[in-house]
Amino acid sequence: MDLNQNLLKNVTYRPIQKSDYPILADLISDTWGYKKFSSPKTAFRMGMLYLRGCLADQTYSCVAVKRGTPVGLILGRGKKPGITALHHRLAQLPWILALLLTREGRSVARMFGGFSDIDSNLLKESGKQFDGELTLFVIRSDQRGAGIGNTLFGNFLYYLKSQCVKNFYLFTDTTCNYGFYEHKGLARIGEKSVKTPIQPDKEMQFFLYEYCA
């Protein structure tokens, strides 16, 4: 048995639970770089706000758990979000308010706030219609390369197949491992280079990828 197989033996997969939210919000804030530009408290608020937004857009979740701790998450949808979408949208409000009440929170929110507009424009410019979306995919840095991402992604594809989803899309950028998606056979159908406050010395590239069954 190789090292990766041995590591995967200690990992279980299940739907997301509310008790996972704080750990996953912290994982998001670390992965998305919120901690580089703000205090731990503000970074956590940003992570929780982002997580709740993604939860509002999902119909599928799978968490990778190792020794009782979530180390990876994938969220996606194969149809329009159900009745829980409103619940998660409302749950964002306290986190939005907490950010707006501090100067640092307002600054960081502005820094990252324009990304969704870039993504929306990429989708609009593609002129395509999709059955589904991969809304969030994150792995703890010390667990990457062990096969957890492959399993989470494979589970998501299996779900989409069960829902008769023919294609889906996802957004990513140059701060992420976008090569993973190309390795999995997704096609890049949109791209935009923009100067952002988080990388003021160079342009950051935003991508739209498509998967067809």
Side-chain angles (χ1 to χ4, degrees):
M1 179 180 297
D2 63 28
L3 179 60
N4 284 353
Q5 288 177 317
N6 189 49
L7 291 171
L8 285 173
K9 282 184 64 178
N10 300 316
V11 181
T12 57
Y13 300 87
R14 58 163 172 76
I16 194 170
Q17 300 173 358
K18 191 173 182 178
S19 59
D20 299 329
Y21 292 1
I23 294 173
L24 293 172
D26 189 63
L27 174 56
I28 290 169
S29 68
D30 187 47
T31 304
W32 267 230
Y34 300 149
K35 293 182 178 180
K36 296 178 181 178
F37 301 95
S38 63
S39 65
K41 181 180 290 187
T42 297
F44 178 79
R45 289 169 175 168
M46 286 287 293
M48 188 63 80
L49 179 61
Y50 190 91
L51 175 62
R52 284 291 196 169
C54 292
L55 285 169
D57 293 330
Q58 59 84 35
T59 60
Y60 172 85
S61 70
C62 188
V63 178
V65 181
K66 188 172 183 178
R67 297 188 179 91
T69 301
V71 297
L73 168 68
I74 193 166
L75 298 176
R77 62 174 179 82
K79 55 184 178 181
K80 291 184 179 179
I83 59 174
T84 59
L86 178 60
H87 166 73
H88 289 296
R89 293 295 181 202
L90 292 175
Q92 287 185 292
L93 296 179
W95 301 105
I96 294 173
L97 181 61
L99 286 169
L100 294 179
L101 288 176
T102 68
R103 180 180 297 177
E104 180 187 61
R106 293 191 296 271
S107 176
V108 175
R110 284 195 300 270
M111 189 178 296
F112 289 89
F115 291 4
S116 60
D117 290 336
I118 296 171
D119 290 341
S120 296
N121 287 333
L122 281 172
L123 185 60
K124 183 178 180 180
E125 290 168 5
S126 75
K128 293 196 171 188
Q129 298 293 322
F130 297 92
D131 296 334
E133 178 186 6
L134 195 164
T135 55
L136 177 59
F137 191 17
V138 61
I139 309 291
R140 204 171 74 186
S141 59
D142 64 345
Q143 299 299 315
R144 295 170 192 163
I148 293 173
N150 286 329
T151 301
L152 286 171
F153 191 77
N155 289 348
F156 178 57
L157 292 183
Y158 183 82
Y159 163 77
L160 293 180
K161 184 177 180 180
S162 72
Q163 297 291 305
C164 298
V165 170
K166 300 300 182 182
N167 66 350
F168 72 88
Y169 69 94
L170 63 89
F171 300 114
T172 188
D173 56 62
T174 44
T175 67
C176 304
N177 180 21
Y178 58 90
F180 174 88
Y181 302 115
E182 296 180 356
H183 178 69
K184 292 296 183 181
L186 278 75
R188 187 188 301 178
I189 60 171
E191 183 175 344
K192 190 176 292 291
S193 296
V194 181
K195 280 195 174 182
T196 69
I198 68 171
Q199 290 185 342
D201 57 330
K202 61 180 180 180
E203 289 190 331
M204 185 173 167
Q205 290 181 290
F206 295 81
F207 306 124
L208 171 65
Y209 278 88
E210 175 186 28
Y211 180 92
C212 295

